[in-house]
Amino acid sequence: MVASTEASPETQHRPGKAPKVRAILAGGLVLGVGAAVTLAAWNSSEFAQGTFTAGSFNLQGSINGTTFTENPVGSPATLGFTTNPSNLSPGDVVTAPFAVRLDGASTYDATVTLSTEASTGSLAGLTYELTQSEDFGCAEAVTETLVTAGQTLGSTPASITFDLAQGAGTDPGAPVNLCFRVTAGAVVQAQTGSTTWEFAAQSQ
């Protein structure tokens, strides 16, 4: 009976070994967590940047084919007609050259649309034609007709357009040379009027 109540030597040592095993396992877990944190600390980044600058775009006009300036609606260029347009009689035809181009700072090509901006006074009996030529001047050979003869002065057909090219480097673009031809029909003595055309350029 006494032998059955006493613990054997193996039984007495097991409780002492178990905590040691748990301590070793716990240490192993701690080491494992530490290794995972170390790997997560590696980082690598890439950066990209874009810089954006708008281009430049400006239309100029000339009444002599040499000097090009800006001519806003409040101060339009005055066309230099070959014959005095203030002394017209039936059958007279007067002409005036005009040229437009893009300035040297323009960085886009353009499409130019022609329209009538405003008219004043009486333009009764007056019609016009608008043509294009390779060189400046109304005596040059016509390469294209933009507005056919007989168009009522003070009006412009829809969708009258032409293209302009930008220049190279700081050079302005090549000009488009135009000619206005105004014909007097049944005009009335002492009538007077004026019309202003708009050349509206849109970048391509």
Side-chain angles (χ1 to χ4, degrees), residues 10-194:
E10 292 179 359
T11 304
Q12 292 175 350
H13 289 293
R14 278 179 193 149
K17 287 181 179 179
K20 290 181 181 179
V21 172
R22 285 195 295 271
I24 292 171
L25 290 175
L29 291 174
V30 169
L31 289 174
V33 171
V37 170
T38 302
L39 290 174
W42 289 92
N43 292 294
S44 178
S45 299
E46 293 291 330
F47 300 90
Q49 182 184 55
T51 301
F52 307 93
T53 304
S56 179
F57 184 73
N58 188 44
L59 184 68
Q60 297 177 317
S62 174
I63 60 173
N64 61 14
T66 302
T67 303
F68 285 81
T69 59
E70 297 177 23
N71 303 282
V73 64
S75 181
T78 300
L79 295 173
F81 284 93
T82 54
T83 304
N84 185 1
S86 300
N87 190 33
L88 294 175
S89 61
D92 283 346
V93 177
V94 292
T95 61
F98 189 63
V100 291
R101 73 179 187 188
L102 297 174
D103 70 7
S106 295
T107 55
Y108 302 94
D109 295 338
T111 298
V112 180
T113 301
L114 175 71
S115 64
T116 299
E117 197 280 329
S119 296
T120 60
S122 175
L123 300 175
L126 298 172
T127 60
Y128 77 101
E129 177 186 20
L130 180 62
T131 59
Q132 186 175 331
S133 60
E134 288 293 335
D135 297 314
F136 186 83
C138 288
E140 303 297 326
V142 173
T143 58
E144 186 174 352
T145 298
L146 300 175
V147 178
T148 58
Q151 180 68 33
T152 300
L153 194 62
S155 68
T156 301
S159 303
I160 302 300
T161 64
F162 57 87
D163 294 331
L164 285 175
Q166 62 178 296
T170 58
D171 295 330
V176 166
N177 298 301
L178 305 167
C179 176
F180 288 93
R181 290 180 174 85
V182 177
T183 300
V187 292
V188 179
Q189 291 186 43
Q191 79 174 59
T192 184
S194 67

